[in-house]
């Protein structure tokens, strides 16, 4: 085996160890609360920026496969948000400008706002109804954050995606959904 192959395996192991540590340190009650809010909502909206937005889009897609009406803020077919809906904000720092503006707007329409982030002491607090902490370092590099060997906020973005997949599997098991039957919801114009 080449030196590069060994190095890649070692690095992959570092990343998966970080992910396991992060997910194992999340609060299960917070995850249950988020799952209940998702199931209770008429529609679930998602907002974030950059790589966080990519993770949120993947979560929205997977939840749509499970029958949840999901929308990414800004998509051309986005409907109006109401008091019966949930906005999920992904922002590690809780300080990103666009998600803050959208959360404030959602509260004006009395929607429930969930913030998934790493920084509980942030500006997003004033607009969110509850907080789901992913215990990793943010772009703010605060002293109480868990450091990562990965660049910038990769660990947050990866963990966010896995939080979404965890919620989806929780729903599947809770509702005893037959997984092969989900393929009927998969895009077929590919």
């Amino acid at each position: 085996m080449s030196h590069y192959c060994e190095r890649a395996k070692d690095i992959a192991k570092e990343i998966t160890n970080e992910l396991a540590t992060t997910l194992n340190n999340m609060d299960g009650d917070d995850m249950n609360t988020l799952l209940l809010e998702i199931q209770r909502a008429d529609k679930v909206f998602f907002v974030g920026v950059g790589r966080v937005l990519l993770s949120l889009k993947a979560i929205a897609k997977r939840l749509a496969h499970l029958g949840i009406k999901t929308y990414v803020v800004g998509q051309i077919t986005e409907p109006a948000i109401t008091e019966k809906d949930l906005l999920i904000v992904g922002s590690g720092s809780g300080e990103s400008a666009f998600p803050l503006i959208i959360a404030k707007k959602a509260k004006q329409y009395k929607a429930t706002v969930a913030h998934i982030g790493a920084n509980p002491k942030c500006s997003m607090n004033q607009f969110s109804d509850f907080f789901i902490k992913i215990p990793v370092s943010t772009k703010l590099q605060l002293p109480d954050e868990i450091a990562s060997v990965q660049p910038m906020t990769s660990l947050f973005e990866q963990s966010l995606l896995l939080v979404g997949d965890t919620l989806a599997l929780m729903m599947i098991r809770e509702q005893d959904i037959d997984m092969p039957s989900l393929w009927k919801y998969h895009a077929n114009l590919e």
Side-chain angles (χ1 to χ4, degrees), residues 6-133:
E6 271 308 307
R7 193 167 73 182
K9 284 184 178 185
D10 290 343
I11 289 171
K13 187 171 184 169
E14 283 183 83
I15 291 169
T16 56
N17 285 342
E18 283 187 355
L19 285 165
T21 299
T22 300
L23 295 174
N24 286 330
N25 281 292
M26 290 188 65
D27 188 316
D29 290 337
D30 290 347
M31 292 286 285
N32 285 328
T33 298
L34 180 55
L35 182 62
L36 288 171
E37 291 295 330
I38 289 169
Q39 292 171 319
R40 189 172 67 96
D42 279 358
K43 300 181 294 291
V44 180
F45 294 77
F46 295 84
V47 67
V49 295
R51 285 172 43 111
V52 168
L53 180 58
L54 295 175
S55 293
L56 291 172
K57 285 181 176 183
I59 295 168
K61 179 73 169 178
R62 183 60 71 229
L63 292 179
H65 290 148
L66 299 178
I68 303 295
K69 293 177 189 164
T70 63
Y71 303 93
V72 176
V73 171
Q75 77 182 62
I76 196 71
T77 57
E78 174 190 351
I81 196 167
T82 73
E83 71 280 353
K84 296 177 182 178
D85 301 326
L86 171 66
L87 173 69
I88 297 177
V89 178
S91 176
S93 67
E95 302 296 339
S96 298
F98 182 67
L100 280 167
I101 292 166
I102 297 300
K104 180 180 180 181
K105 193 80 170 173
K107 290 313 296 174
Q108 290 173 355
Y109 293 103
K110 299 185 177 18
T112 301
V113 176
H115 172 211
I116 304 175
N119 178 18
K121 298 172 186 165
C122 63
S123 299
M124 191 63 69
N125 285 346
Q126 61 190 312
F127 307 119
S128 57
D129 296 291
F130 59 97
F131 177 68
I132 300 89
K133 183 175 183 176

Side-chain angles (χ1 to χ4, degrees), residues 18-19 21-23 25-26 91-93 117-120 131 133-142 144-148 150 152-160:
E18 283 187 355
L19 285 165
T21 299
T22 300
L23 295 174
N25 281 292
M26 290 188 65
S91 176
S93 67
N119 178 18
F131 177 68
K133 183 175 183 176
I134 296 178
V136 299
S137 60
T138 66
K139 62 185 176 189
L140 302 176
Q141 296 296 303
L142 301 172
D144 61 341
E145 296 176 343
I146 298 172
S148 172
Q150 300 181 69
M152 297 182 268
T153 57
S154 291
L155 182 57
F156 178 78
E157 296 133 14
Q158 295 159 351
S159 299
L160 178 59

